[in-house]
Amino acid sequence: MASVPEGLRYTREHEWAKAEGDRVRVGITAYAQDQLGDVVFVELPAVGAAVRQMQGFGVVESVKAVSDLFAPIDGTVAEVNAALGSTPELVNQDPYGKGWIIVITPSDPAQLESLMTAGDYEAFIASGGH
Amino acid sequence: MSGAGRSYEKLVFELSAPGRIAFSLPEPDVPAADVSSLIPARYLRQAPPELPEVSEVDVVRHYSRLSQLNYGVDTHFYPLGSCTMKYNPKLNEDMARVPGFARVHPLAPAEVSQGALRLMYELSAYLAEIAGMDAVSLQPAAGAQGELAGVLMIRAYHLANGEKRTKVLIPDSAHGTNPASTAIAGFRVVQIKSERTGEVDLLDLDRNLDTDTAAFMITLPNTLGLFETRITEIVELCHAKGVQIYMDGANLNAILGITRPGDLGFDVCHFNLHKTFTTPHGGGGPGAGPVGVKSHLEPFLPVPVVTRTGKPARDERRRRDEAQESDESRAGQPRDESEHSATYSLDWKRPKSIGKLQAFWGNFGMLVRAYTYIRTMGPAGLRSVSDNAVLNANYIMKRLEAHYDLGAPGPCMHECVLSARRQKQRGVTAMDVAKRLLDLGFYAPSTYFPLIVDEALMIEPTETESKETLDAFCEAMIQIAREADASPEVPRSAPVLTPVRRLDQTLAARQPNLRWKPPASGLHP
Amino acid sequence: MRYISNTPAQQREMLAVIGAGSIEELLARVPAKARLSRPLELPAPLAEHDLIQHLRRLGAQNADADSHVCFLGAGAYDHLIPSPINHLISRGEFFTAYTPYQPEASQGTLRTIYEYQTMIAELVGMDVANASIYDGGSALAEAALMAHAVTGREEIVVSAGVNPLYQRVMRTYAEGPALRLTRVALAGGVTPLDAATPAVSGDTAALVIQSPNFYGCLEDVAETAAVAHAAGALLIVVTDPVNLGVLLPPGASGADIVVGEGQGLGVPMSFGGPNLGVFATRYDLVRRMPGRLAGATVDLEGRRGFVLTLQTREQHIRREKATSNICTNVALCALMATIYMATLGKQGLVRVGQLSAAKAHYAAGVLGEIPGVRLRFEAPFFKEFTLELPKAPERIVRRLLKDRILAGVPLGQFDRALRNCLLVAVTEKRSRAEIDTLAQALRRALA
């Protein structure tokens, strides 16, 4: 398993969050996609929808499981990754890059600080990931 | 699977040749036969539907060849856990096809449907006796509908008592239909943990039981094949808080004539006629999921209820049975006078009923089969069903416990759960074991269920299998365990003898192809 | 006992291997107080021949469509069941198999489900059909739940022309999610658009009609679709697929979900069950659709094969968030329908529809000539129609039973306003002679 990228923040539900200027990009971690197996479908929210920290904003589906996607912070959906419609496997192939899921305009950017660092997240998944 | 040579690969559409027919219909014998003169054009198709054009020979050969691509209980040991894949008696099939059953319309007047209504009434009574319940509805079409009916009745019961309870507790070992049915009935599902032994964690149950809890749903024996030893305590804990307790009857095959949900204190249970009572599985149904209740839930039963009038209630069953027995033993002689006065009907005056699960009265064709089975077996026969089901499952468990981890310590009841944990260390998963079994001539057990056992293999042999078959199955499983050790690539590349091998589930889900399209498009009206 | 193979000697051998002295020892976990202390109080077993006699006697008490001429409809029909169907579905590999969890050993079942999905979707004019729901009523109930999930709205507007028994099933399923059911009364036997339009609003998840409706009348599906869609609601159409060789399918008129009863496609009437719930929808709604789906794929060696797919919607994975609780459906009935649709085929299904309609219109004509008898509604009908009678229909039905005729379904039990009406269905199996006999018998009964 590749190491967890530095500079990102992580949730207990295995989402990553990356600050990009005044926006935050969100996806799921390599650990999460490995647990899920081959991703077959991602249910995306509408652009402009409101999201709340640790509330569901979408769903990622594999052959054998379905997982809710939880927003790492409060805000509004600024962009969704439309490429996932035809190539959901990007989530497996490049979870931190081309497999990104949504971009949020945060209502309180400081919320990012409340999330786990890379080191915290590594320890979290080493201890079982629950 | 039979059929030598290359596997058969066609779809019926690929046999089509324009102008071929397989049907026989008469010429019109009424004057105005042209539909376009009878019905305005805007209601009519402009072109016929794109259905195949094949001959009867094509139809028979095609579907016969397709059947040969299947394993069934008639051809293979089929140990799917909790599905009770027991032998399906052929007499049941003959009786379901009696024209007086198969060719009867549900809305024929009751006075000329007495045989059908009487069969339903008697079957309800038999099931009530088997489960120790006070009343039974035969309407639900499958176990999941039985569950929905049960949970809706519990809901109605609490509402009638002026209580709006919002939660239902369900063990984490439960079959998926339990939480799904509960959610449809409008309840929040709270999962209760199981202990390492597979039994319900009583502390977790007690912690979650409160006056906002409508029901606790439990399968008995549970999905690890174990009888909850503390069931009496569980029932008491529930009833103390006014919580109704529901038994999922999927595993009833373990306890026929041994114990009864009603005697254990359950308020409601369902039956799976396509499991315990031999109605055939059909490749995925039809089944039937009757639901049994104690008297306090009886007013809420689905409507209509099959009733009997013209006889006093007391000792009714005994006198009827005696009348039936004397009836059968004096075949050909006039029937007992008491029989002539009985009238069966559908009672719609049920103001507290939860309503309907299906349009008509139940899967009557399956009810005929279950009735035939119960009348074939009798009380001692049904008891020996469970005795042998329990014996067979324990035999398999004992023969395999040296080679596979156990999901829970024995003895088990009618099914046992193994784990392929050990094999997984060599890269051989439960799925690989299942696929290898297909090559060795067996249908695989259930895999990855219950969720609380990793690499689970859930094996339910049923009572209809012989020791020879069980031995052959155990030898195959032992062989696979040895292969996992010495040559793991063999199970991992299985199956090799089936018509297809390791189908791409990911592709099927990413690019769903759910209907055939002709190679050249544009043929739709 | 012929269904149990193990002899007492074999039982002893097995107990020895297990290390138990008796089967009783294996039951030790069952609390002693809960043990049944007596045998079950059930009748003693009957030998095969005696049981056959008993069941035949029970069967003989029922008026079946072989011994009586059947003009009953209302959701179950005496259509022709071609002879190969029973032989093929009685093959043990079909009827004793279960759900295709191991696809490599179930390609027979999976391929027939794929064929079924294809032919049903084609017949009803929709993109995709599932592998079956239990019956027309539960299929409608599931459609209502799906419309609620898709739109987030809580009202279902239902035409009074929808089968009243289906409406009751829908009401039962609507309890949990607290859906509101709003009724639109019929006018002239069909759903009036000027009543449906104001009934539908931003709260409406779906508008539901049936065509032909319960009273036999054809509805204007396209115009009703426009009403539903203008309010952002889905249109659910209840239909009878065996009619769709001739009738324009609901999918061609803007339906979003099509449900119905497939019993007419080769499934025996069998006193009302098992049946065949048909369910089809648009491709973009497929992930919300309840029920099993078979899909085509390839195997390791590139060969075409079939699997259950999109299973994560279903109860065994999604549990309380599943699209439905359905597990066992009616696969063998769907197989009957598959073989029926292949056997009747493109030409045959057209002929069935044409014959049924022609004979029904002939029947309506000759019955309408009887003094005091008239067609209740002027709207166009297909194979079923509502007759108004000058005497109580229940009495007429009872009278005609003596002539071994099942004359029709009295409608008073469904709608008090129609208590002088009889619903008469005519399929391709009814000969002109049988229809003339019905007319003569009815004439006598009313004289």
Side-chain angles (χ1 to χ4, degrees), chain B residues 185-200:
Chain B
F187 288 103
R188 191 161 48 93
V189 173
V190 174
Q191 203 162 258
I192 302 299
K193 299 204 243 306
S194 302
E195 293 175 353
R196 298 275 307 275
T197 59
E199 293 190 45
V200 169

Side-chain angles (χ1 to χ4, degrees), chain B residues 12-56:
Chain B
V12 69
F13 318 108
E14 294 160 343
L15 306 175
S16 200
R20 247 189 218 155
I21 65 161
F23 61 87
S24 164
L25 287 168
E27 290 305 307
D29 56 358
V30 294
D34 181 12
V35 153
S36 57
S37 68
L38 300 170
I39 295 171
R42 69 181 183 280
Y43 297 109
L44 303 175
R45 270 188 185 269
Q46 289 98 52
E50 285 303 320
L51 294 180
E53 294 179 87
V54 291
S55 70
E56 183 171 322

Side-chain angles (χ1 to χ4, degrees), chain B residues 104-110 112-113 346 348 359-361, chain C residues 72-76 163 165 214 271-272 397 406 408-410 413-414 423:
Chain B
V104 182
H105 191 286
L107 294 171
V112 291
S113 312
L346 295 174
W348 290 89
F360 295 121
W361 332 135
Chain C
L72 302 178
N163 184 321
L165 296 171
F214 184 70
F271 200 53
V397 163
L406 292 157
V409 178
Q413 60 191 300
F414 300 110
L423 186 64

